[in-house]
């Protein structure tokens, strides 16, 4: 027969068994928590150092800022967020109605003054040239009359010289005949002396007439050469002097005209430059010179902007890339040109790409050149920039545009970058998969 234990001992045995069971449960729970913690610490520490995959990656693209060149009101905004703009396509128009035109008015007034002075100078010069032409005509007419008169006087003087010469020869013959009579003592010397004096007087008359002839010939030659001397050419001399004075004045006016024309040309160039400057300050049409997709607009229609204010931000989706964070230990495995795969998440197919650049770190100045800032790195981590394959990039961008994302070409979307033929996954991606 089996012996029965006392009730007190039975309860003690049961309590001891329950205590041992609880101890085993606590021990198993502690081991399980320690194992999970160790696994978590291992997957959080070692895989990032050796992982061939990174989910801390984002789609990015370079941007360009359109700033207001002038101050004014936004008259028109011809683009919206997400619009793809061709090179040279307009984005907005700014009009400034508060322009100081004092300088332009002063330049225009000066130009008008120069135009008036130039017109007056040209008119006076033309008047002087016309007066000179009239004087030339009058001088020519009077010179022709004077030449004709002097030619007549020259002929008369030559006749008088010939007459005096003939008279002298006749008197010489009488003197010679009387001298012969005196030599033969047929006549008195007193008869010869008056005839000799008459011969001398005839010689003097010939010399006088010859001098008059030479004077007339000299006056005639001077008149023909345009030199007016003598009493008969006094009026011509006065006209010639007046003609010279007017001609000199016309030359002076011609020089003054050239100076005024040069000053007017300079003044008009300054006026045109000032007007062009004011036109550029009055209306400015902002254009996307390199094209791109409108990422954001900083103004609204009717808003007043100052020079330098940001009007729009354009993102170059054709140069979109992915930037991911990897450990320094993966630098050799992720050299430039290494093929990688970019996973977008959801039902979208992975995108092929290759490493284009490796950066140890960035700065705020670098981040300002892109649509979104680079993710924050930790110690001993680096940036890996991945360019999309050209044949796949357009279709990828089209998929980005076709989906209901808030940013153009889906800049700022978090993606996963995996090195091809890599076998160590990222801890976070593995936990998500689990």
């Amino acid at each position: 027969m089996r012996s029965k234990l006392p009730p007190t001992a039975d309860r003690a045995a049961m309590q001891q068994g329950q205590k041992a069971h609880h101890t085993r449960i606590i021990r198993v729970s502690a081991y399980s928590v320690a194992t999970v913690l160790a696994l978590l610490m291992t997957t959080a520490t070692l895989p990032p150092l050796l992982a061939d995959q990174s989910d801390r990656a984002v789609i990015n693209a370079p941007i360009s800022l359109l700033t207001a060149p002038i101050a004014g009101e936004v008259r028109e905004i011809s683009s919206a967020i997400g619009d793809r703009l061709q090179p040279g396509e307009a984005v907005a128009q700014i009009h400034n109605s508060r322009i100081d035109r004092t300088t332009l008015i002063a330049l225009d007034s000066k130009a008008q003054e120069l135009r008036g002075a130039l017109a007056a100078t040209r008119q006076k010069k033309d008047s002087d040239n016309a007066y000179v032409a009239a004087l030339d005509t009058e001088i020519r007419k009077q010179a022709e009359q004077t030449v004709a008169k002097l030619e007549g006087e020259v002929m008369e003087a030559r006749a008088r010289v010939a007459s005096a010469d003939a008279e002298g020869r006749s008197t010489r013959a009488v003197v010679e005949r009387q001298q012969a009579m005196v030599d033969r003592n047929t006549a008195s010397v007193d008869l010869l002396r008056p005839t000799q004096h008459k011969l001398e007087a005839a010689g003097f008359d010939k010399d006088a007439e010859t001098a008059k002839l030479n004077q007339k010939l000299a006056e005639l030659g001077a008149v023909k050469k345009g030199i007016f001397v003598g009493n008969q050419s006094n009026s011509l001399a006065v006209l010639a002097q007046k003609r010279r004075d007017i001609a000199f004045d016309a030359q002076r006016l011609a020089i003054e005209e050239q100076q005024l024309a040069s000053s007017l040309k300079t003044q008009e160039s300054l006026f045109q430059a000032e007007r062009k400057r004011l036109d550029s300050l009055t209306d400015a049409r902002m254009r996307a010179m390199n094209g791109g997709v409108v990422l954001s607009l900083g103004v609204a229609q009717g808003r007043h902007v100052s020079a330098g204010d940001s009007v729009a931000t354009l993102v170059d989706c054709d140069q979109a890339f992915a930037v991911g964070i990897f450990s320094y230990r993966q630098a050799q495995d992720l050299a430039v040109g290494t093929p990688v795969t970019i996973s977008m998440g959801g039902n979208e197919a992975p995108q092929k790409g290759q490493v284009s650049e490796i950066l140890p770190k960035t700065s705020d100045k670098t981040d300002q050149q892109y649509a979104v800032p680079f993710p924050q790195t930790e110690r001993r981590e680096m940036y890996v920039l991945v360019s999309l394959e050209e044949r796949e990039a357009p279709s990828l961008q089209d998929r980005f545009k076709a989906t209901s994302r808030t940013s153009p070409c889906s800049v700022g979307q978090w993606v996963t970058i995996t090195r091809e033929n890599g076998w160590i996954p990222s801890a976070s991606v593995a936990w998500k998969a689990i």
Side-chain angles (χ1 to χ4, degrees):
M1 294 182 64
R2 188 176 59 184
S3 61
K4 294 182 180 180
L5 296 174
T8 304
D10 192 11
R11 286 196 300 270
M14 291 178 62
Q15 290 178 357
Q16 187 176 1
Q18 291 178 355
K19 184 177 181 180
H21 180 68
H22 290 163
T23 302
R24 286 195 298 272
I25 292 175
I26 293 173
R27 186 179 292 110
V28 170
S29 300
Y31 288 155
S32 299
V33 171
T35 301
V36 171
L37 290 176
L39 183 61
L40 286 175
M41 292 181 64
T42 302
T43 57
T45 304
L46 293 181
L49 299 178
L50 304 174
D52 297 320
Q53 189 179 52
S54 174
D55 61 345
R56 289 193 296 166
V58 66
I59 297 295
N60 210 340
I63 61 173
S64 59
L65 294 178
L66 290 181
T67 57
I70 62 173
E73 290 75 27
V74 179
R75 285 286 184 87
E76 178 185 357
I77 298 179
S78 54
S79 301
I81 296 177
D83 290 349
R84 179 178 290 274
L85 304 179
Q86 299 298 324
E89 190 172 351
V91 177
Q93 182 179 3
I94 301 175
H95 176 75
N96 185 8
S97 58
R98 300 176 181 179
I99 296 295
D100 186 7
R101 300 181 179 272
T102 304
T103 304
L104 182 66
I105 294 173
L107 291 174
D108 186 34
S109 176
K110 182 64 176 178
Q112 292 294 340
E113 181 181 351
L114 289 174
R115 289 191 189 96
L118 180 60
T121 302
R122 285 177 177 173
Q123 184 177 3
K124 189 174 181 181
K125 185 196 71 173
D126 294 340
S127 176
D128 286 348
N129 289 331
Y131 194 14
V132 168
L135 288 175
D136 288 339
T137 302
E138 183 64 24
I139 291 173
R140 185 175 63 255
K141 290 180 180 179
Q142 292 192 18
E144 290 175 356
Q145 293 177 1
T146 304
V147 167
K149 183 179 179 181
L150 288 174
E151 286 178 349
E153 293 179 353
V154 166
M155 292 178 64
E156 182 182 358
R158 284 177 178 174
R160 285 197 297 267
V161 169
S163 175
D165 185 55
E167 183 69 23
R169 285 198 300 269
S170 175
T171 305
R172 184 179 297 277
V174 174
V175 169
E176 289 176 354
R177 187 172 57 253
Q178 290 180 358
Q179 184 67 39
M181 291 173 64
V182 170
D183 292 340
R184 291 195 301 266
N185 293 323
T186 60
S188 175
V189 178
D190 296 333
L191 179 64
L192 179 60
R193 289 194 182 112
T195 306
Q196 289 178 343
H197 294 319
K198 186 177 181 181
L199 177 60
E200 293 176 359
F204 293 146
D205 288 340
K206 181 181 178 181
D207 293 339
E209 294 300 332
T210 301
K212 290 181 180 180
L213 175 61
N214 293 333
Q215 182 181 359
K216 296 299 180 183
L217 290 174
E219 291 181 4
L220 179 60
V223 170
K224 288 182 177 180
K225 293 179 181 180
I227 301 174
F228 309 113
V229 292
N231 295 331
Q232 295 185 4
S233 303
N234 189 21
S235 60
L236 285 172
V238 173
L239 291 177
Q241 183 62 39
K242 184 178 293 186
R243 193 260 182 205
R244 283 192 293 270
D245 294 340
I246 299 300
F248 289 152
D249 188 64
Q251 293 178 359
R252 180 185 61 80
L253 291 175
I255 296 174
E256 185 177 350
E257 178 187 3
Q258 293 179 356
Q259 294 176 349
L260 289 174
S262 178
S263 299
L264 178 60
K265 184 178 180 181
T266 303
Q267 199 69 21
E268 287 179 345
S269 64
L270 292 175
F271 175 79
Q272 294 296 335
E274 179 66 14
R275 185 168 65 179
K276 185 177 181 181
R277 185 185 72 86
L278 292 181
D279 291 342
S280 64
L281 293 177
T282 302
D283 290 288
R285 185 173 291 274
M286 305 182 63
R287 300 180 182 275
M289 303 309 299
N290 298 324
V293 179
V294 180
L295 179 64
S296 63
L297 291 173
V299 296
Q301 189 169 355
R303 177 184 171 184
H304 179 82
V305 295
S306 300
D309 288 351
S310 177
V311 175
T313 302
L314 303 180
V315 59
D316 190 356
C317 291
D318 295 334
Q319 298 184 17
F321 63 94
V323 55
I325 298 177
F326 287 86
S327 171
Y328 273 12
R329 297 177 180 269
Q330 296 297 104
Q332 293 182 352
D333 296 333
L334 293 172
V336 175
T338 302
V340 297
T341 302
I342 304 172
S343 301
M344 309 298 173
N347 297 326
E348 297 184 11
Q351 169 67 44
K352 298 293 184 181
Q354 62 180 3
V355 177
S356 60
E357 189 177 359
I358 295 178
L359 297 176
K361 61 181 180 179
T362 61
S363 60
D364 294 340
K365 185 176 181 179
T366 303
D367 290 342
Q368 292 175 0
Q369 301 175 4
Y370 298 97
V372 294
F374 283 19
Q376 186 67 34
T377 59
E378 308 226 353
R379 187 179 179 184
R380 302 187 65 78
E381 289 182 338
M382 64 181 181
Y383 292 109
V384 176
L385 276 62
V386 177
S387 61
L388 307 178
E389 293 184 358
E390 294 183 359
R391 63 182 184 86
E392 296 292 342
S395 60
L396 175 63
Q397 294 160 6
D398 292 340
R399 289 201 305 272
F400 286 163
K401 191 172 182 180
T403 56
S404 59
R405 294 183 173 90
T406 57
S407 59
C409 58
S410 197
V411 293
Q413 179 187 359
W414 290 94
V415 296
T416 300
I417 299 177
T418 305
R419 181 174 65 88
E420 289 191 3
N421 301 325
W423 58 276
I424 301 179
S426 172
S428 58
V429 176
W431 278 110
K432 289 179 183 178
I434 293 173

